[in-house]
Amino acid sequence: RFVDLLLNSTGGIQPDEPLGRPLRRAGNNETHWAEGKVWLVNHGVLLPSESKPGRFFEGRLLGLSKAGYWTASHAELPVFAPAMFSIQLGAGTSSKAPVRYIAPFVAANMDHFEYHGTEIIHKFRAESSRLGLQFPKNFEEYAGKLPISRVVAASSA
């Protein structure tokens, strides 16, 4: 995990440190310069369609093993939807995101994810529960608990 190593070696940030953690103080009674500022960590959410599914694994042997997914939707969605994690720095691990994770139109029109896999001749299929406006909820409601290293890794991918 490159991002874990990078954050730890350059900033002393442990892989499991939460996004809403208290900031280190510069001195005894001094407020950290970043305290209270909002950090927006942007990235893209891949929303492939049934006609053009996304693939996150393909085996080397003639493509016999593969895995991917697509987004079921009742409206046309962009293939890449802009999204962002957000936190008010130093607000605590129970803090909520001050900014929406993804555009409401995108979230509202996401029905579910369908996952497909093939291992030689065996086929597998799984479907997520209804997404809709629930999709961004955990990213917004529990923003302070998200691991810093995973948020940064999503942004740098």
Side-chain angles (χ1 to χ4, degrees):
R1 297 189 189 201
F2 176 75
V3 172
D4 294 347
L5 180 64
L6 179 69
L7 292 175
N8 186 267
S9 63
T10 60
I13 298 171
Q14 298 300 314
D16 58 348
E17 282 191 66
L19 205 54
R21 70 180 174 86
L23 300 176
R24 292 184 175 87
R25 302 283 181 205
N28 290 340
N29 294 324
E30 295 180 34
T31 301
H32 191 279
W33 67 269
E35 188 91 28
K37 291 181 172 56
V38 174
W39 184 20
L40 304 176
V41 187
N42 67 330
H43 67 106
V45 175
L46 181 61
L47 302 171
S49 64
E50 184 175 11
S51 62
K52 292 184 180 180
R55 185 155 305 150
F56 48 81
F57 171 78
E58 185 164 343
R60 295 181 188 197
L61 181 61
L62 305 171
L64 294 174
S65 297
K66 54 189 165 193
Y69 75 103
W70 56 274
T71 310
S73 175
H74 50 276
E76 189 171 335
L77 295 176
V79 175
F80 289 98
M84 71 180 105
F85 299 102
S86 65
I87 193 75
Q88 182 175 357
L89 295 172
T93 56
S94 62
S95 60
K96 296 179 181 187
V99 178
R100 290 179 192 241
Y101 173 72
I102 199 166
F105 169 81
V106 173
N109 287 294
M110 292 172 63
D111 292 332
H112 62 270
F113 289 131
E114 280 215 18
Y115 299 91
H116 297 269
T118 304
E119 180 61 39
I120 311 293
I121 59 170
H122 302 288
K123 294 190 179 219
F124 305 92
R125 181 187 166 279
E127 185 177 301
S128 72
S129 58
R130 170 91 171 101
L131 296 170
L133 294 173
Q134 293 299 311
F135 174 69
K137 185 177 180 182
N138 287 337
F139 300 124
E140 295 170 356
E141 293 292 316
Y142 305 104
K145 296 182 184 335
L146 295 172
I148 294 173
S149 61
R150 300 289 56 98
V151 167
V152 171
S155 180
S156 65

